Amino acid sequence: MTAVPIAHEALGADPNRLRTLLDRFAGLSEPDSGPGVTRLAYSRLEREAHAVFAAHMTGLGAAVWTDAAGNTLAELPGTDPAAPAVGTGSHLDSVPNGGRFDGIVGVVAAMETARLVTTHRVGHRHPLRFVVFAAEEGARFGQACTGSRIVAGLTGPDDLPGKRDADGVSLADAMSGVGLDPTRVSDARWDPAGWAAFVELHIEQGAVLESTDRRVGVVDAISGSTRMRIDLAGRASHSGGTPMHLRADAAAAAAEIVLLVESVALRAAAWGTRATVGRIDVAPGSMTTIAGSASLWVDVRGLDGDRQHRAATEIVESATAACARRGVRCTTTPLAETPPVPLPAAVRDTLVAACADLGLEPTVLPSGASHDAQQVNEVTPTGMIFIPSRDGISHDPAEHTDIDDVALGTTVLAESLLRLDGEL
Ligand code: GLV
Ligand code: MN
Ligand code: MN
């Protein structure tokens, strides 16, 4: 990979420091949880990771605080006390058996940017605010981006008791379990007057950059998602004694639904929509018993909100019809709804200009994954920078991004924040 000249020599991010930080966070994983990193939303380990960030930022002289949603914020004052903040950040929670880069890259980049700015005494008019959002991953509660949704006023106290993880623990109880008061989350809402702009650096979680040999991307839109759980009630019975024509097999119905979810997303009318059954629970889970019940977790993503909703509706209709044919009862529970979000051209232009300053030509591309930036854009103009994911893999222990790309992305981030500081 060729070296990239850095316009502001002083702001060249240090790959070794970034690697050390990534290693530190990767070490905070649930013991005995299998390969990769498991650090779930509103878990003790997520809190520990936030504490690592807080200690680093305190050491740099930043003011650090945790809000009522469990987000951790750090601020370096600017020269104009009345100016609104220019911000950056991402998340430190992971999916079960995830990688060490998703979210973490944006946080270590924020930590390194703060170090560069303070060490080199880089002047800035706006306060620089660094944010670690809580509970970005929807893997545990269905709802993604809980911390950032709360600051944007998209999730409030009434939404928390009803969202439950697979063990039945509610979002509200999980928050209480780590010392937060879920009834007070509205205190965390951001005042748009306090913000000038926000930029998130993230791994691409796809293979567009790698396949086009680009090291940096600038995001123009973020996909939405419609998530639901489909519960199937069939009839458990003896696998040998029950003839095929007398069954109401919940596992067979689940299998049919997995395939129809795929076929709905593959239809020409759903172009660009992605639909996934990422989890199926079957009970009683015995080889010699026909499954009496099953639950499927379905995630429908799109850059076009109409197509996303139409696909979700079609999935429910065809699942219901398939179950009726099989004598299986089918109930659908909506889990979360997020619209696709176009990001503002003005911030994108600044990010592209920051890349140009560094001799880089970025690819402008949409994000297939959800991000905190999507929610933050409700409060303040927001941009996103992507760096490549090896083989496009993410949400898996094989997730990998070269440390030189993490450093380059951090340098682009720092350059972008300082450009925004000068422009706004
Ligand atoms: C976040 O990682 C998502 O699931 O899009
Ligand atoms: Mn992420
Ligand atoms: Mn993720």
Side-chain angles (χ1 to χ4, degrees):
M1 211 152 250
T2 47
V4 170
I6 291 169
H8 296 277
E9 195 59 49
L11 288 184
D14 180 345
N16 290 324
R17 286 177 190 275
L18 290 161
R19 194 198 320 269
T20 302
L21 291 170
L22 287 166
D23 288 347
R24 177 86 205 276
F25 287 118
L28 296 173
S29 180
E30 291 295 343
D32 307 321
S33 58
V37 175
T38 299
R39 191 169 54 241
L40 301 185
Y42 292 127
S43 63
R44 182 186 55 78
L45 280 171
E46 187 203 40
R47 294 296 96 199
E48 262 187 57
H50 278 236
V52 169
F53 168 80
H56 177 101
M57 299 306 264
T58 303
L60 294 174
V64 177
W65 68 100
T66 301
D67 71 13
N71 303 311
T72 304
L73 297 95
E75 183 168 304
L76 297 173
T79 52
D80 178 354
V86 171
T88 187
S90 194
H91 62 98
L92 286 172
D93 61 321
S94 81
V95 296
N97 307 110
R100 49 163 62 203
F101 298 90
D102 173 4
I104 324 307
V105 154
V107 174
V108 299
M111 295 160 86
E112 174 66 354
T113 298
R115 187 193 69 81
L116 290 166
V117 167
T118 51
T119 307
H120 298 287
R121 299 179 192 283
V122 178
H124 49 96
R125 185 171 81 79
H126 299 73
L128 295 180
R129 211 170 282 158
F130 305 89
V131 189
V132 184
F133 293 103
E136 190 270 354
E137 297 290 357
R140 181 171 179 193
F141 295 105
Q143 173 74 74
C145 302
T146 298
S148 51
R149 286 179 64 88
I150 289 171
V151 303
L154 298 167
T155 287
D158 297 345
D159 302 311
L160 304 172
K163 302 223 180 281
R164 294 183 179 276
D165 68 10
D167 296 325
V169 178
S170 73
L171 243 176
D173 286 345
M175 293 180 82
S176 302
V178 292
L180 299 164
D181 180 351
T183 64
R184 292 194 44 238
V185 293
S186 301
D187 295 354
R189 264 189 92 157
W190 287 359
D191 177 0
W195 287 92
F198 190 91
V199 181
E200 179 173 1
L201 171 70
H202 204 281
I203 56 169
E204 182 197 337
Q205 306 180 284
V208 174
L209 294 176
E210 187 184 60
S211 63
T212 53
D213 217 13
R214 294 285 174 88
R215 296 180 69 186
V216 179
V218 171
V219 175
D220 60 356
I222 305 178
S223 291
S225 65
T226 301
R227 294 179 183 171
M228 61 186 125
R229 195 183 65 241
I230 302 180
D231 294 312
L232 307 179
R235 196 170 50 250
S237 184
H238 197 290
S239 65
T242 317
M244 298 308 286
H245 68 286
L246 292 178
R247 297 180 176 209
D249 184 338
E256 186 171 346
I257 291 171
V258 171
L259 294 179
L260 66 85
V261 165
E262 183 185 51
S263 68
V264 164
L266 282 169
R267 276 163 41 94
W271 191 85
T273 306
R274 286 89 63 209
T276 309
V277 179
R279 175 173 185 158
I280 308 174
D281 288 356
V282 175
S286 158
M287 193 172 78
T288 54
T289 306
I290 297 163
S293 64
S295 297
L296 300 91
W297 280 259
V298 185
D299 181 15
V300 184
R301 311 249 190 162
L303 280 163
D304 177 305
D306 287 342
R307 285 205 286 266
Q308 177 184 316
H309 285 129
R310 225 177 285 147
T313 305
E314 262 184 62
I315 286 168
V316 173
E317 286 171 357
S318 45
T320 306
C323 287
R325 279 197 308 279
R326 292 175 168 277
V328 169
R329 199 150 35 84
C330 168
T331 320
T332 304
T333 306
L335 296 178
E337 179 62 46
T338 305
V341 172
L343 293 176
V347 181
R348 200 187 323 145
D349 289 347
T350 303
L351 303 186
V352 171
C355 289
D357 281 355
L358 296 166
L360 293 164
E361 194 182 334
T363 294
V364 175
L365 76 172
S367 169
S370 308
H371 296 290
D372 292 311
Q374 189 167 6
Q375 327 304 332
V376 172
N377 192 55
E378 287 282 315
V379 179
T380 192
T382 295
M384 275 199 91
I385 302 162
F386 271 175
I387 51 176
S389 294
R390 187 174 67 196
D391 298 330
I393 290 176
S394 182
H395 284 187
D396 183 87
E399 183 178 88
H400 179 80
T401 296
D402 286 344
I403 199 66
D404 288 344
D405 287 341
V406 177
L408 183 63
T410 304
T411 301
V412 172
L413 175 71
E415 181 80 20
S416 300
L417 297 174
L418 294 173
R419 257 190 171 264
L420 287 165
D421 177 65
E423 287 172 6
L424 298 172

